[in-house]
Amino acid sequence: MEKNWTSLWLKYHAKASRNNLKFCEMVHLDGFNERSAIISNALEEFFRGVNGMLGVKPSLIKEANIKNGLRILRIADEMIPDEGFRLTAEADHINIEASGENGVLYGIFFLLRQILMEKPLDGINITSIPDIKNRMLNHWDNLDGSIERGYSGSSFFFKENKILVNERTKDYARLIASIGINGVVINNVNVKDAATFLITPAYFDEVRKLKDIFAGYGIKLFLSLNFAAPLELGGPDSADPFDEEVISWWRGQIATVYEALPGLGGFLVKADSEGRPGPFTYGRTQADGANMLARLLKPYGGLVIWRCFVYNCTQDWRDRKTDRARAGYDNFIKTDGDYLDNVVLQIKNGPMDFQIREPVSPLLGGLKETNQMLEVQIAQEYTGHQIDVCYLVPMFKEVLGFNHQSDETIFDVIKKIGFCAVTNTGNDENWTGNDLAAANLYGFGRLAWSVSLTAAEIAEEWIKMTLSCDEETVSVVKKILLSSRETYEKYTSPLGIGWMVTPHLHYGPSVDGYEYSLWGTYHRSDHLGIGVDRTLNGTGYTSQYHEPNASLYDDIETCPEELLLFFHHVPYKYVLKSGKTLIQHIYDTHFEGVLEVEEMIRAWEGLSAKIPAQVFKLVKERFSLQLINAKEWRDQVNTYFYRKSGIKDEKGREIF
Ligand code: GCW
């Protein structure tokens, strides 16, 4: 198969600096087996990397007394847990110490990263242990090859209801292992049609191949499950988790699955959500549904990851009391403590749905006795479809660092369980549609490994590995990435209100696109003001937070301004802390957003001689689409609010 995909940040091209050569000429293994899958992959990676970058072909030697090389040794896990590693440089060699094979793999990737970034290995002395236990990617890939909310081509896992296993699969495993990912769900959470059959022998052989490839890189494979599978696979005519026939059907099914696929991580389940069936259909709780599966998975060490994206998607827009933002909390809080220990609740970062600005979901950490995993989306469904640049690491850091209750952050809530992202990959040559969108994939993995890394540090690593270590390139691209989220926010929906997007597609503006819909996604603008009243006088959503956040959000004067319209219905003439009225703020930010995109484009163009030609061209093309999008947003939003409010722009700019 001809390789028509890039190597992203694992770009083992010749590097000028050969200072590191003295550490790369030989390898000695102590306490690890060179033939085990993970170790042999780790060695292969090291050989490939240093061969490409430094032109050396290291040999594996038996004698412990090595010179000019790498000594890999096993230590007790009280010193460094399974996935961690310690790296120390001595005069003529480097030690990688780890208690488990994964640690070795991650240690090697760390070394290669240093070389890629042209950093000397001399004097290195670091211990690295992942901050979060499960670091996962969720693919929304369908078996026909399409990808729900995918903007990077088609699936590289599925095509025409068949599973693809090829060299690209292995390269993908290498890429995500290199950033510390240790779990992957390969199919869409909306499990329909052929995907329901992934848990039947029809697919076992191919799923096993995928599972084994990933296992060789320390990654567990998971499948999304159809809760209504019994009905669709010829089992009982019900999916009621209390029905004995249903339970015994699942018992048999799960036994078959684990016999064929030992070591499978478990299942991800979207139930009672957006038309997917679930326990509510039978008058049971979410815990009843999750526990039924968890009990059966327990003997195999499998996890049930249960999504909390459960809300009424057939709402009446006239109804001002029902509030979609409340739904996750209202549906799950009552079940806190009811879940078996191999159940994990997977909760989106915000209470709505991956908007450019949302408060942190009050369910995260609102639950006290339940395993929780944070879900974010790097597929930019509402944040520019990988056409518009939108580096999301700053947002993820805000969420993890959110002080949700005295001295407890979201990171504290999830660190022992997990962090996952809906991924942005597809079979495009560059994997992520826009080359710059790969910074989100890279960034998610690195952040999940080490939450104290700053968004700037992560961006810099990615740029150096992927584009170039040239100072100007690093500084210009870093600036573009770091300002991109705010820029996107400026030209799209203001102050946390969200939505206003083209229905279904979710790219481009349509201010009233969802205003009179069933989806619970309203901005409630009238001639006096804009925003949803979620205070105690409104939908009462603010009461789902702990103090001090509950009061902070409830009071318009203390509510963080970037979330003002999420929590309050605010008059156009309300004066913000900047001294500007709300309406003027809307106009100003929308004009600024477009100017900032123009500025980014100029900055990118200045790098034409320094960026690989194809990347330069493709990103430039995306930027021109982003500019069109930004102008459309600016003009539609400004015009809409000018017409609603009748208030003119103080600066007299063109509004239609
Ligand atoms: O926002 C919605 C998306 C759906 C997605 C759903 C979910 C997979 O528009 O496409 O379905 O979220 O998260 O389940």
Side-chain angles (χ1 to χ4, degrees):
M1 182 177 194
E2 201 198 326
K3 249 196 179 186
N4 58 350
W5 59 94
T6 70
S7 41
L8 289 175
W9 50 84
L10 294 182
K11 230 175 146 189
Y12 301 143
H13 294 171
K15 290 276 162 185
S17 154
R18 289 168 58 90
N19 280 350
N20 292 323
L21 204 57
K22 61 177 178 288
F23 299 120
C24 301
E25 291 177 19
M26 58 189 74
V27 181
H28 170 72
L29 280 179
D30 186 347
F32 290 102
N33 178 357
E34 67 182 273
R35 276 181 297 274
S36 95
I38 295 180
I39 297 299
S40 99
N41 281 334
L43 292 175
E44 181 186 290
E45 196 69 30
F46 182 69
F47 294 164
R48 183 205 292 232
V50 297
N51 189 11
M53 292 186 285
L54 306 170
V56 59
K57 283 204 162 87
S59 46
L60 190 63
I61 61 154
K62 295 267 181 263
E63 309 82 67
N65 183 16
I66 64 162
K67 280 203 179 327
N68 299 347
L70 190 60
R71 190 158 163 250
I72 300 176
L73 94 162
R74 196 192 280 270
I75 51 168
D77 63 358
E78 305 87 67
M79 299 171 73
I80 296 177
D82 190 29
E83 295 189 304
F85 60 88
R86 179 161 58 215
L87 240 139
T88 47
E90 296 188 27
D92 58 359
H93 73 274
I94 283 185
N95 301 308
I96 297 185
E97 296 164 285
S99 63
E101 296 184 336
N102 284 10
V104 174
L105 182 70
Y106 296 135
I108 298 266
F109 276 121
F110 180 93
L111 264 187
L112 293 170
R113 185 155 61 234
Q114 296 299 106
I115 303 175
L116 274 160
M117 294 193 293
E118 295 177 6
K119 288 197 178 168
L121 296 168
D122 298 270
I124 205 160
N125 181 351
I126 79 134
T127 300
S128 186
I129 295 165
D131 283 336
I132 297 177
K133 186 166 176 225
N134 291 294
R135 306 172 299 279
M136 299 185 58
L137 289 170
N138 288 186
H139 285 260
W140 286 357
D141 293 26
N142 298 315
L143 271 79
D144 64 3
S146 62
I147 303 179
E148 182 149 353
R149 311 304 176 186
Y151 314 106
S152 315
S154 307
S155 173
F156 47 75
F157 288 134
F158 308 110
K159 186 179 180 182
E160 294 164 359
N161 294 337
K162 294 210 167 55
I163 295 181
L164 305 172
V165 185
N166 53 46
E167 219 188 312
R168 189 165 189 158
T169 325
K170 182 167 164 162
D171 276 352
Y172 178 65
R174 292 173 49 233
L175 281 164
I176 64 174
S178 78
I179 51 172
I181 298 297
N182 63 3
V184 61
V185 187
I186 54 172
N187 63 307
N188 188 357
V189 288
N190 290 327
V191 186
K192 302 180 209 177
D193 310 321
T196 305
F197 290 80
L198 281 172
I199 55 164
T200 69
Y203 287 106
F204 285 162
D205 286 345
E206 301 306 298
V207 175
R208 188 181 317 110
K209 289 182 195 156
L210 288 181
K211 179 181 72 75
D212 292 345
I213 290 176
F214 283 119
Y217 287 91
I219 301 163
K220 277 209 154 119
L221 184 119
F222 290 74
L223 296 173
S224 293
L225 196 71
N226 183 345
F227 194 79
L231 294 134
E232 290 176 39
L233 296 179
D237 203 17
S238 166
D240 181 352
F242 282 6
D243 180 327
E244 284 304 328
E245 267 184 69
V246 171
I247 298 170
S248 105
W249 183 86
W250 275 115
R251 183 176 296 114
Q253 202 67 30
I254 288 172
T256 321
V257 168
Y258 271 87
E259 193 176 316
L261 306 169
L264 183 76
F267 299 118
L268 172 62
V269 189
K270 170 176 177 177
D272 287 309
S273 172
E274 301 187 327
R276 308 311 302 144
F280 282 168
T281 320
Y282 303 94
R284 313 296 181 197
T285 68
Q286 297 294 301
D288 297 335
N291 288 343
M292 182 270 291
L293 293 170
R295 213 167 278 125
L296 301 173
L297 279 171
K298 186 89 191 179
Y300 309 100
L303 274 188
V304 174
I305 306 176
W306 191 268
R307 289 177 93 233
C308 296
F309 190 54
V310 178
Y311 67 98
N312 173 5
C313 64
T314 54
Q315 197 185 319
D316 183 347
W317 58 269
R318 299 165 190 85
D319 165 11
R320 282 176 182 262
K321 278 292 167 194
T322 308
D323 179 4
R324 170 163 165 183
R326 292 188 57 127
Y329 189 93
D330 285 345
N331 283 318
F332 283 88
I333 201 71
K334 299 181 289 281
T335 61
D336 191 17
D338 293 350
Y339 297 87
L340 296 177
D341 62 5
N342 60 331
V343 176
V344 166
L345 294 189
Q346 183 168 307
I347 306 169
K348 289 189 183 186
N349 62 282
M352 296 297 276
D353 195 8
F354 301 136
Q355 303 301 293
I356 188 66
R357 180 76 66 175
E358 286 186 49
V360 170
S361 166
L363 187 58
L364 281 161
L367 295 163
K368 293 289 167 212
E369 315 282 334
T370 301
N371 299 328
Q372 297 157 68
M373 168 132 90
L374 168 64
E375 175 181 331
V376 297
Q377 194 196 48
I378 53 181
Q380 298 169 238
E381 177 179 357
Y382 294 97
T383 53
H385 282 205
Q386 295 154 225
I387 296 169
D388 301 26
V389 184
C390 193
Y391 178 56
L392 292 162
V393 173
M395 180 201 283
F396 303 159
K397 283 193 68 77
E398 266 169 32
V399 175
L400 289 166
F402 176 70
N403 216 327
H404 124 91
Q405 194 182 11
S406 56
D407 289 339
E408 188 188 46
T409 62
I410 298 301
F411 166 59
D412 294 323
V413 171
I414 58 111
K415 64 187 171 195
K416 293 204 178 74
I417 308 299
F419 185 20
C420 71
V422 177
T423 193
N424 61 358
T425 48
N427 72 357
D428 273 0
E429 188 174 349
N430 67 2
W431 300 86
T432 57
N434 188 333
D435 291 85
L436 297 183
N440 283 329
L441 179 60
Y442 181 84
F444 167 73
R446 293 289 292 131
L447 184 65
W449 181 280
S450 185
V451 299
S452 58
L453 284 170
T454 66
E457 284 164 341
I458 293 174
E460 183 162 332
E461 284 186 3
W462 176 79
I463 298 163
K464 286 184 166 169
M465 293 171 76
T466 310
L467 297 173
S468 139
C469 293
D470 164 71
E471 228 174 279
E472 188 197 4
T473 308
V474 172
S475 115
V476 170
V477 179
K478 197 157 78 175
K479 195 164 165 217
I480 291 176
L481 291 176
L482 290 175
S483 58
S484 60
R485 181 223 184 173
E486 234 171 281
T487 298
Y488 186 83
E489 183 177 27
K490 281 185 176 177
Y491 63 75
T492 59
S493 55
L495 301 175
I497 191 69
W499 308 97
M500 304 189 177
V501 285
T502 310
H504 314 302
L505 177 68
H506 300 172
Y507 187 80
S510 174
V511 180
D512 278 341
Y514 275 120
E515 193 57 17
Y516 306 102
S517 76
L518 307 166
W519 295 94
T521 47
Y522 315 116
H523 55 71
R524 306 285 192 207
S525 305
D526 52 29
H527 69 295
L528 296 173
I530 162 178
V532 183
D533 184 356
R534 295 192 160 103
T535 66
L536 298 178
N537 298 325
T539 72
Y541 168 76
T542 52
S543 69
Q544 294 185 342
Y545 288 88
H546 291 286
E547 290 298 354
N549 295 318
S551 306
L552 198 83
Y553 290 144
D554 203 67
D555 180 348
I556 190 169
E557 292 302 319
T558 56
C559 181
E561 252 171 18
E562 69 276 8
L563 289 168
L564 197 64
L565 304 179
F566 189 93
F567 286 104
H568 298 272
H569 187 80
V570 183
Y572 293 116
K573 292 195 170 160
Y574 179 81
V575 180
L576 301 174
K577 301 202 173 67
S578 60
K580 288 180 188 177
T581 60
L582 170 63
I583 188 75
Q584 193 58 39
H585 172 90
I586 293 178
Y587 296 149
D588 284 354
T589 49
H590 283 77
F591 284 111
E592 278 162 31
V594 172
L595 293 176
E596 286 172 17
V597 176
E598 285 167 343
E599 180 55 38
M600 277 183 195
I601 296 176
R602 270 195 299 277
W604 182 256
E605 282 173 349
L607 295 176
S608 65
K610 296 191 161 180
I611 302 277
Q614 208 188 336
V615 176
F616 180 80
K617 179 168 162 276
L618 193 135
V619 172
K620 195 176 150 174
E621 281 162 18
R622 301 249 155 168
F623 267 134
S624 52
L625 297 175
Q626 177 172 2
L627 184 59
I628 295 170
N629 189 38
K631 286 181 176 165
E632 204 53 38
W633 270 99
R634 174 195 66 193
D635 292 340
Q636 288 201 29
V637 171
N638 283 346
T639 301
Y640 181 95
F641 288 104
Y642 171 59
R643 290 183 187 173
K644 274 256 146 119
S645 68
I647 302 170
K648 288 199 173 118
D649 171 34
E650 281 169 4
K651 299 181 184 149
R653 290 162 293 195
E654 189 172 31
I655 294 178
F656 300 86

